[in-house]
Amino acid sequence: MPRTAPEGALERPRSRSGTLREPDDLTGLSMFVRIVEEGSLSAAGRALGLPKATLSRNLALLEKRLGAPLLIRSTRALSLTDTGRRFFDKVQPIVREAQQATAEVKILHAAPSGLLRITAPVAYGQAAIAPRLLSFMRRYPAVRIDLHLHDGRVNLVNGGYDMAVRMGAIEDSELISHKLADITMVIVASPTWLEQHDVPQRPADLARHAAIVTRPELVHWKVGGETVRVPWRMSTGNMIVTRDAARAGLGIAFVPEFLALPDLERGSLVRLLPDLDLPMIQATALYTRAASQSVALRALLDDLLASRPIEADAAPP
């Protein structure tokens, strides 16, 4: 009679033929794949941090179990046999999937820790992102955050950032993106400005007003299904300064509603063309595929996506 495992015990996995598998099959396959990818035992040893002799021994054991040579060894290089090529093509994706699954399990059960470098626009970063970071760091005391607030576009890789929060159209197709919020926009002006200039009654009237913009190219405003080109008087490079300039009576401005709301409530800013639809601006979190393996970053993204900071907690003064 065949032997059965005690109740509650896990039985060692068996092959299709019913024989017990060697416990280090996956290790041997992983080493074989890395040897082929690196092109030599020495290079694979350096990549894996293992002695060349260990790789050679495991490769020999694998070939013995398979009953076929996989590599042709020479003094200069290694090359695959026909069998080795077919075997490599089959097992490489299996090894990659196993490694990915192992990494995901480790991430799920690891506590977030380490340094996260994050960049975000000044206004949205200060009003919507920073409050979430503070609560996140209280929950995870082993996480450190290096936060950079500025309105210029940065290169995540060259800048050494783990994540960037951006507002508007996303151009970095190779980056992973998650939408954080849809930001309501408003067109505003100060009462002083409107006393000196006619109050716009339709989108085309905006073209007769000097505009405060964050960048010189942002002069085509979509209002009520129309696109109007406004003449800019001041380019600020910053949403908060744009709002402040409009409040100071220097012209009209196209700004996030959360940023203008306190002034709208006080009457120091007036909303223009309130009955017409304006396009929303999307706030997006961007990060590289390499950064996605960070336990801390994944925990932060889960937190941001769960809280959905659609509107800011408080507008900067």
Side-chain angles (χ1 to χ4, degrees), residues 16-61:
R16 291 183 180 178
S17 63
T19 59
L20 290 174
R21 294 178 185 168
E22 293 293 332
D24 61 340
D25 271 358
L26 184 57
T27 300
L29 293 178
S30 299
M31 290 184 182
F32 166 69
V33 168
R34 197 56 179 265
I35 290 169
V36 175
E37 290 176 340
E38 296 293 335
S40 71
L41 288 168
S42 299
R46 288 191 297 271
L48 295 172
L50 294 173
K52 179 180 175 181
T54 299
L55 294 177
S56 180
R57 183 169 59 253
N58 276 274
L59 177 60
L61 288 173

Side-chain angles (χ1 to χ4, degrees), residues 246-300:
R247 185 171 58 196
L250 300 182
I252 63 175
F254 190 89
V255 297
E257 184 182 46
F258 75 81
L259 193 59
L261 192 57
D263 288 294
L264 292 172
E265 292 174 346
R266 288 193 296 263
S268 50
L269 284 175
V270 177
R271 183 170 180 173
L272 306 181
L273 304 174
D275 297 329
L276 297 182
D277 292 331
L278 301 179
M280 289 188 172
I281 291 183
Q282 185 170 297
T284 307
L286 299 169
Y287 55 96
T288 64
R289 297 193 181 278
S292 68
Q293 300 302 313
S294 165
V295 176
L297 180 61
R298 290 178 66 141
L300 176 59

Side-chain angles (χ1 to χ4, degrees), residues 185-246:
M185 304 297 289
V186 292
I187 301 173
V188 296
S190 72
T192 302
W193 179 265
L194 295 177
E195 288 173 1
Q196 301 169 356
H197 304 79
D198 293 335
V199 177
Q201 301 299 318
R202 53 195 179 90
D205 295 341
L206 296 172
R208 293 195 290 270
H209 289 257
I212 314 298
V213 297
T214 55
R215 298 199 304 273
E217 64 269 22
L218 299 179
V219 293
H220 295 90
W221 296 0
K222 293 183 178 180
V223 184
E226 299 181 35
T227 299
V228 180
R229 189 181 191 281
V230 296
W232 68 272
R233 181 184 183 191
M234 181 180 184
S235 176
T236 66
N238 181 283
M239 275 290 186
I240 296 175
V241 179
T242 298
R243 176 206 59 188
D244 292 349

Side-chain angles (χ1 to χ4, degrees), residues 30-212:
S30 299
M31 290 184 182
F32 166 69
V33 168
R34 197 56 179 265
I35 290 169
V36 175
E37 290 176 340
E38 296 293 335
S40 71
L41 288 168
S42 299
R46 288 191 297 271
L48 295 172
L50 294 173
K52 179 180 175 181
T54 299
L55 294 177
S56 180
R57 183 169 59 253
N58 276 274
L59 177 60
L61 288 173
L62 177 62
E63 290 178 320
K64 182 178 180 180
R65 287 199 299 271
L66 294 174
L70 302 174
L71 294 172
I72 300 172
R73 299 158 177 80
S74 69
T75 56
R76 293 186 177 181
L78 297 176
S79 59
L80 286 163
T81 63
D82 290 341
T83 299
R85 169 56 61 186
R86 290 195 295 271
F87 186 67
F88 174 77
D89 291 341
K90 292 286 188 181
V91 301
Q92 186 189 38
I94 296 172
V95 169
R96 289 287 168 261
E97 288 183 12
Q99 290 172 338
Q100 181 64 31
T102 300
E104 289 177 358
V105 170
K106 288 181 178 179
I107 286 173
L108 288 174
H109 292 276
S113 63
L115 174 66
L116 288 178
R117 298 189 74 243
I118 300 169
T119 177
V122 176
Y124 190 71
Q126 181 177 340
I129 300 300
R132 272 73 179 179
L133 294 182
L134 300 181
S135 62
F136 176 79
M137 293 184 73
R138 282 195 294 268
R139 286 198 304 277
Y140 301 109
V143 173
R144 296 181 299 139
I145 289 181
D146 182 13
L147 176 62
H148 294 248
L149 297 181
H150 52 79
D151 291 320
R153 293 293 178 96
V154 298
N155 184 295
L156 267 70
V157 177
N158 294 341
Y161 292 104
D162 297 291
M163 185 181 78
V165 176
R166 290 182 182 167
M167 297 179 67
I170 302 302
E171 301 171 355
D172 306 273
S173 59
E174 295 184 359
L175 298 175
I176 302 173
S177 64
H178 286 289
K179 186 177 81 170
L180 297 178
D182 287 318
I183 308 299
T184 301
M185 304 297 289
V186 292
I187 301 173
V188 296
S190 72
T192 302
W193 179 265
L194 295 177
E195 288 173 1
Q196 301 169 356
H197 304 79
D198 293 335
V199 177
Q201 301 299 318
R202 53 195 179 90
D205 295 341
L206 296 172
R208 293 195 290 270
H209 289 257
I212 314 298

